[in-house]
Amino acid sequence: MKIVSIVICRWKHDRGGDPDKPVILCGAYALQSFGFFERSTVRDMARFFSKTCVSKTAPGKMQRLEHEGQYCYVVSKQDGIAGALLADAEYPQRAAFSLLNNLVLDFVNAKKGQWDQGHVDDSMTWAPLDEAVVKYQDPMQADKIMQIQKDLDDTKDVLYNTIDSVLERGQKLDDLIDKSNDISMQSKKFYKTAKKHNQCCVMM
C-alpha cells in the first residue's frame, strides 16, 4: 500500500460559472518506487488526476474516485480550499480521509490570509505536506488522527464514483489528457504507451 501524492488546491466554488480550474497551491509526491524516467510522467499525471477530481467534488463534500484500480480521495471545504490524495487500492479509506482532512485544516490555519491569493500552481510551500507523504506511507501512523477526528468515523456521506462517471456527457478522460496544458508531450506519449500495454496503473 502506498500514497503517490497529496496536493492542496484553491478551488473557488462560489464563482458559479467561472471556468477557472483548481490551482495546486502546493503538493508532495512519493516517486521513489518508480523508475527514474517514469517519475516526471507520474508526477504530471498525479497532478492532472488530482485537479480533475477536485473539480468534480462539490463544496463541503468528500469523494473517492476510482481510476484503473487506483483511488483519488478528495476533501472539499466550503471556503474554496480542497485537498486530494492519490493512493493505491490497498491504502485504507478511513486513514486517507482522516489524514487529508487534518492536512487541509492545518494548512488553512497556517496560511490564513495567504492561500486564497494563490492564482498559479505551486505558488506556496508547506513543509508538513512533504513530511506527511513520507510518514503516512504507513497508514497505522494515521491512527492518532482517526481517534481525534470522530466526525470522520461515519463515512456514509462519502461519495463513491469513477472518474469517467463524473465527467460531463460526451467527455472522455483520454481527450482531456490530450488537451491538457498541465501535462508535457512526453508524459502524454508515455501514458498512451502504458495504456496500450495495459500498464496504466504505473501512472498512480
Side-chain angles (χ1 to χ4, degrees):
M1 59 186 71
K2 66 179 178 181
I3 296 173
V4 174
S5 65
I6 309 173
V7 301
I8 304 293
C9 298
R10 179 187 64 79
W11 177 224
K12 293 292 188 181
H13 296 284
D14 57 349
R15 290 186 177 181
D18 195 319
D20 286 352
K21 297 179 180 179
V23 172
I24 295 179
L25 297 174
C26 57
Y29 310 87
L31 307 176
Q32 300 88 338
S33 63
F34 299 97
F36 179 79
F37 295 106
E38 296 176 338
R39 293 177 186 176
S40 62
T41 297
V42 173
R43 185 178 184 275
D44 280 355
M45 298 307 297
R47 291 167 65 86
F48 170 80
F49 282 120
S50 296
K51 282 187 174 184
T52 300
C53 292
V54 166
S55 72
K56 300 301 180 181
T57 304
K61 297 294 184 180
M62 298 187 297
Q63 183 167 213
R64 188 193 74 185
L65 290 144
E66 182 269 339
H67 180 66
E68 302 285 347
Q70 310 293 312
Y71 293 101
C72 181
Y73 298 90
V74 180
V75 172
S76 183
K77 299 298 185 181
Q78 294 282 4
D79 55 6
I81 196 83
L85 183 152
L86 287 179
D88 62 17
E90 295 180 357
Y91 200 87
Q93 172 178 291
R94 282 187 59 216
F97 276 124
S98 296
L99 169 60
L100 189 57
N101 190 61
N102 189 67
L103 286 170
V104 170
L105 293 175
D106 285 351
F107 178 84
V108 170
N109 289 330
K111 301 293 185 178
K112 189 173 298 183
Q114 302 176 43
W115 67 264
D116 56 345
Q117 301 301 313
H119 298 288
V120 296
D121 285 339
D122 305 311
S123 58
M124 306 184 78
T125 59
W126 193 49
L129 204 59
D130 297 305
E131 297 166 3
V133 82
V134 175
K135 178 178 180 181
Y136 294 104
Q137 291 296 332
D138 176 7
M140 295 299 292
Q141 294 293 330
D143 279 349
K144 294 180 181 178
I145 296 176
M146 288 190 284
Q147 291 168 10
I148 294 172
Q149 294 184 270
K150 300 298 183 183
D151 57 316
L152 289 182
D153 285 349
D154 188 351
T155 58
K156 68 179 187 299
D157 293 329
V158 174
L159 302 175
Y160 300 95
N161 288 299
T162 64
I163 290 182
D164 289 334
S165 71
V166 297
L167 296 179
E168 295 178 13
R169 185 183 298 273
Q171 279 189 329
K172 294 183 178 179
L173 184 62
D174 286 353
D175 292 338
L176 294 180
I177 290 174
D178 281 337
K179 296 175 182 178
S180 175
N181 294 322
D182 295 327
I183 306 174
S184 69
M185 290 303 297
Q186 179 181 350
S187 293
K188 291 177 183 179
K189 183 177 180 180
F190 188 94
Y191 174 82
K192 290 179 181 178
T193 301
K195 185 171 184 179
K196 184 177 180 180
H197 293 89
N198 296 316
Q199 296 176 334
C200 292
C201 58
V202 302
M203 295 300 100
M204 294 165 57

